[in-house]
Amino acid sequence: MSEDAYTRPVPEPSRDTRPYWDALNEGRLVIQECAGCKRLRHYPRPVCDVCYSMDVEWRQVSGRGSLHSWTVAHHPFHPGFKTELPYVLATVDLEEGVRMIAQLRGVAPDEVAVGLPVQVAFERATDQLTLPVFRKREGK
Amino acid sequence: MSLRDRGAITGVGETRYSRNSGRSVVALQMEASLAAIADAGLTPKDIDGIIAYAASGVVAEDFVTNFGIPDLRFSATTPMGGASSVAAVQCAVAVLSAGVCRHVLIPLGRNGFSESRIGSRVRQMPQFRTVAEFEMPIGNIAPAQLYAPMARRHMELYGSTSRQFGEIAVTTRRHAGLHGNAMMTKPITLEDHQQSRMIADPLRLLDCSLESDGAAAVVVTAAEHARDAKKRPVYVSGVGEGHPDSPSAITQRPDLTTLGTAKAAPRAFAMAGVTPADIDVAEIYDCFTYIVLCQLEDLGFCDKGEGGAFVEGGALGLGGRLPVNTHGGLLSQAHMAGLNHIVELVRQLRGEGGATQVPDAEVGLVTGYGDMGDGAVAIMRRG
Ligand SMILES: [Zn+2]
């Protein structure tokens, strides 16, 4: 889809965050890693809150995680999402120790539970935008 | 040096609350402010400090211009979403006790129903920049959706239930029906709550606050000048604000079931020299029912995880163990970002509570909650 036809909010990446979005467009999930102390942090930001280093590396992560909490959206607060209702918004603890949120695909709302194992996947929204989603992960 | 009793609320004012004020936001805030200033026995030109609610688009300069204030000595904003109002009280008392000025006006007003609805409003706030970039594009747009996972996590960890959230909605609506200036007055039952449509699971329509037109205002006066006020001053005995860990987004908060309130409350109680058992009436920020339940725990009225049991059986009603939101709160009176909670607490402590007056209320508490979990707490006592 071209950007013009897309009716949902689009991110406006900054110099601090653009590598995250660029990687999604390549089908990779990357998280900031402090070049000083090697801690991962999310969402992207310029300073490590432990060692205060401003040197950043980007680490590709597994995309495996488990559900920390969730909501099921039933009301259209934005017209762009009206046709998608109801949808599950999954707050997920990634195995690498950071938290992220994305829509959960392919799981009935009454099947959702804390600890549900999930795997990240990628959905192209426009020519310039890819969004992460989660799917239920089989096995362990 | 402590801020204890260094400032007092000397005046309060409100407009009528409605879905269509038919007036500008500036006019609404001026009307409420003129009422508060008159209530304090002051004239508008006595105001020498203003803490405006910048998100409404009305700033200190509007008051200087409309009131002809000759010498404004202090202006600031405290942008903490729904915690702004109580945080503004802390800011006011701090500058009053330092002698910067004598009378700080705290106004707040909006056409929150007829002009700017919540789904579009938060996107423009800088505190929501991270959410706007990373969460709104995936459909996590409005506060109901942002906060619902906090409620869900609490339910999963502690067994709290939607019916317990409903207790808060039912009690608050009953108070609104008695109050005289509330938007939603028709009584509701627990069954009504359970059958109301789902907005962002587990939050139902009747778990959500209103969108409102109107304005409120309070005047905070330095203690040494409060004794001359027209009415009995209501002293700010303890006050504090607290910010959650990782305040960029709810998602990133290590513990979803705790708010900044948990940091602010011990400071406010210690300053006031009282405990939760001393509180006669509490006006607790209620953008959503669950947020009341969570704050009751963070404030120390019960242990973490026991808020659900605490609210059962009408405990928050008049005559209950802790009367809460005697004006109907944001859930049923109006959404004035908690400044209406401060107005109501002052009326309670003056004995002006009318049909929802808590008998002989001497010490009360008011909270604010906003953005990604900011909390503010003030404990007040009648002078
Ligand atoms: Zn580091």
Side-chain angles (χ1 to χ4, degrees):
Chain A
M1 187 185 291
S2 76
E3 294 255 297
D4 295 344
Y6 191 69
T7 59
R8 297 178 178 180
V10 294
E12 292 169 22
S14 71
R15 287 169 193 271
D16 297 325
T17 66
R18 185 169 294 285
Y20 172 83
W21 294 106
D22 288 348
L24 287 178
N25 270 333
E26 296 162 7
R28 298 183 301 123
L29 179 63
V30 300
I31 300 290
Q32 267 187 334
E33 182 182 82
C34 172
C37 72
K38 302 297 174 191
R39 282 182 177 81
L40 295 186
R41 64 175 185 264
H42 199 55
Y43 294 113
R45 51 187 180 266
V47 180
C48 171
D49 69 338
V50 177
C51 77
Y52 314 121
S53 169
M54 295 183 75
D55 294 329
V56 167
E57 285 161 8
W58 294 86
R59 176 155 20 129
Q60 185 165 343
V61 295
S62 66
R64 284 194 300 273
S66 65
L67 198 66
H68 187 87
S69 193
W70 76 95
T71 183
V72 187
H74 290 269
H75 180 82
F77 286 102
H78 189 287
F81 290 94
K82 198 164 187 173
T83 55
E84 194 157 16
L85 296 170
Y87 56 89
V88 179
L89 289 163
T91 303
V92 167
D93 291 313
L94 291 182
E95 283 183 357
E96 289 84 359
V98 299
R99 190 124 12 97
M100 63 178 282
I101 187 168
Q103 286 196 30
L104 179 63
R105 296 264 188 260
V107 180
D110 60 357
E111 228 192 305
V112 183
V114 164
L116 183 83
V118 297
Q119 170 71 47
V120 83
F122 306 94
E123 286 185 359
R124 191 159 277 281
T126 74
D127 298 340
Q128 282 116 56
L129 176 64
T130 301
L131 294 171
V133 295
F134 286 110
R135 298 185 182 284
K136 187 175 167 185
R137 176 161 49 92
E138 305 298 339
K140 59 184 196 73
Chain B
M1 192 195 84
S2 156
L3 296 181
R4 178 175 175 168
D5 296 338
R6 300 294 301 270
I9 313 275
T10 52
V12 298
E14 288 172 303
T15 65
R16 298 299 298 179
Y17 296 127
S18 72
R19 290 184 165 196
N20 189 359
S21 70
R23 311 179 54 195
S24 74
V25 176
V26 177
L28 290 169
Q29 293 197 23
M30 295 303 152
E31 179 189 326
S33 297
L34 287 170
I37 292 164
D39 190 53
L42 299 172
T43 76
K45 290 183 173 51
D46 293 322
I47 296 299
D48 54 6
I50 294 174
I51 302 176
Y53 188 67
S56 70
V58 180
V59 293
E61 286 75 4
D62 288 306
F63 294 89
V64 173
T65 307
N66 277 277
F67 296 165
I69 294 173
D71 189 11
L72 189 73
R73 292 159 179 256
F74 176 76
S75 74
T77 60
T78 51
M80 290 168 62
S84 301
S85 301
V86 176
V89 170
Q90 171 176 261
C91 180
V93 175
V95 298
L96 291 166
S97 72
V100 174
C101 53
R102 292 181 177 187
H103 304 286
V104 175
L105 174 70
I106 303 174
L108 191 146
R110 49 171 53 149
N111 281 326
F113 193 94
S114 63
E115 286 178 6
S116 66
R117 304 296 292 270
I118 188 71
S120 59
R121 203 163 58 226
V122 294
R123 194 172 163 74
Q124 288 127 33
M125 298 163 70
Q127 305 94 298
F128 282 76
R129 189 186 64 238
T130 299
V131 171
E133 177 171 355
F134 293 96
E135 303 194 352
M136 291 186 183
I138 60 139
N140 204 21
I141 304 279
Q145 297 167 331
L146 300 172
Y147 300 163
M150 299 195 287
R152 174 56 67 186
R153 182 79 184 169
H154 195 279
M155 295 167 88
E156 294 285 313
L157 285 182
Y158 302 116
S160 51
T161 66
S162 172
R163 290 185 77 86
Q164 291 168 336
F165 301 167
E167 292 257 3
I168 296 166
V170 169
T171 301
T172 310
R173 179 61 64 84
R174 192 163 60 242
H175 295 167
L178 294 167
H179 182 271
N181 183 15
M183 291 172 66
M184 303 295 279
T185 56
K186 184 171 159 243
I188 54 171
T189 64
L190 259 186
E191 291 316 309
D192 293 332
H193 172 272
Q194 290 293 294
Q195 279 159 32
S196 65
R197 73 188 167 90
M198 201 62 90
I199 300 295
D201 191 347
L203 301 176
R204 299 176 175 278
L205 181 66
L206 290 178
D207 290 307
C208 300
S209 50
L210 307 172
E211 299 187 80
S212 313
D213 289 10
V218 303
V219 176
V220 193
T221 298
E224 57 268 35
H225 301 288
R227 284 180 282 274
D228 308 329
K230 190 167 82 177
K231 291 180 177 171
R232 189 178 210 174
V234 170
Y235 286 91
V236 181
S237 296
V239 65
E241 73 179 56
H243 297 256
D245 297 330
S246 196
S248 62
I250 301 287
T251 325
Q252 300 304 322
R253 185 129 38 92
D255 180 357
L256 291 190
T257 66
T258 306
L259 309 171
T261 316
K263 297 179 185 176
R267 288 197 272 271
F269 278 109
M271 190 187 295
V274 300
T275 70
D278 297 313
I279 301 299
D280 298 316
V281 55
E283 314 299 351
I284 297 187
Y285 197 83
D286 56 336
C287 50
F288 299 95
T289 53
Y290 164 75
I291 298 296
V292 176
L293 186 156
C294 184
Q295 287 175 94
L296 289 167
E297 298 171 347
D298 285 349
L299 290 161
F301 287 103
C302 58
D303 287 338
K304 184 50 67 184
E306 311 211 323
F310 185 91
V311 305
E312 285 186 330
L316 307 188
L318 298 167
R321 97 164 102 167
L322 179 69
V324 165
N325 294 348
T326 45
H327 53 328
L330 310 180
L331 290 169
S332 285
Q333 187 197 33
H335 198 320
M336 288 298 125
L339 197 60
N340 50 329
H341 290 54
I342 299 175
V343 169
E344 174 66 8
L345 181 61
V346 169
R347 290 196 175 130
Q348 287 282 331
L349 296 176
R350 284 173 170 177
E352 296 177 350
T356 60
Q357 177 68 48
V358 173
D360 207 31
E362 284 185 53
V363 180
L365 173 148
V366 58
T367 72
Y369 159 86
D371 293 343
M372 304 309 155
D374 295 341
V377 180
I379 294 163
M380 301 191 193
R381 66 170 180 85
R382 70 184 186 198

